[in-house]
Amino acid sequence: MKLSYLVIGLFAVCTTFSSVTMAQDSPELRAKAADRYLKSVPMATMLDDAFASVAQQMPADQREKFLKDMRSIVRVEFLEAVSKEKMVKVFTAEELNAIATFYESKEGASAMKKFGVYMAEIMPVMQKEMVQAMAKLRDEKK
């Protein structure tokens, strides 16, 4: 008899825990957390940083035109909507809120401001490595 009560009690605890966990992570909560993140780290700012890092690899006299063209051609709202959709799919509400909390902090905001410089430093190395890897794969297939 005591075993039955124990099993029923454990079932009740597990069911309650599952309900609480699900209540803390729903598509609606994820969407709200994704909005918070995108407010903390606006897509337009991230794109401007990316454009600036690419522009640094170009001749100086072409940079301004490149930046102007990219800002007028790239659909920020579209990329933000897709980004939000994918964040809601991949991350939990708790994870998204943690990321937003970091970028809202003094350290996170400082790190984000440096991200463009970091990308400018790492992108040429990453691109070179990818080109070499693709060439090696191509050679191995021959």
Side-chain angles (χ1 to χ4, degrees):
M1 190 74 139
K2 287 185 179 184
L3 184 59
S4 298
Y5 289 126
L6 180 60
V7 170
I8 291 170
L10 285 174
F11 178 74
V13 168
C14 289
T15 303
T16 302
F17 181 73
S18 294
S19 298
V20 169
T21 302
M22 287 180 67
Q24 293 174 351
D25 187 35
S26 66
E28 294 78 19
L29 289 174
R30 288 178 181 205
K32 186 175 177 180
D35 286 337
R36 179 180 169 213
Y37 167 78
L38 289 168
K39 185 178 177 188
S40 301
V41 185
M43 181 62 66
T45 302
M46 289 190 334
L47 289 172
D48 272 345
D49 288 347
F51 300 156
S53 71
V54 172
Q56 291 302 312
Q57 300 171 35
M58 306 176 93
D61 63 332
Q62 297 176 13
R63 291 178 189 159
E64 275 307 310
K65 181 175 179 354
F66 170 78
L67 290 172
K68 182 181 174 192
D69 289 346
M70 292 303 287
R71 288 177 184 135
S72 68
I73 295 169
V74 174
R75 301 173 299 162
V76 176
E77 297 82 12
F78 169 75
L79 292 175
E80 189 168 277
V82 171
S83 180
K84 179 180 175 180
E85 174 188 327
K86 301 307 178 188
M87 281 190 266
V88 168
K89 179 180 177 183
V90 173
F91 299 109
T92 66
E94 187 175 16
E95 291 165 339
L96 287 166
N97 279 315
I99 295 167
T101 297
F102 172 71
Y103 283 115
E104 290 168 351
S105 72
K106 182 179 84 174
E107 296 83 1
S110 177
M112 193 63 205
K113 287 178 186 172
K114 296 175 184 177
F115 211 76
V117 174
Y118 163 73
M119 291 303 292
E121 294 282 330
I122 196 70
M123 283 305 279
V125 176
M126 290 176 71
Q127 289 170 342
K128 183 179 177 184
E129 187 66 19
M130 294 301 290
V131 168
Q132 289 175 348
M134 295 300 288
K136 185 175 181 178
L137 286 173
R138 189 175 45 246
D139 292 344
E140 288 177 1
K141 288 184 178 184
K142 289 182 181 180

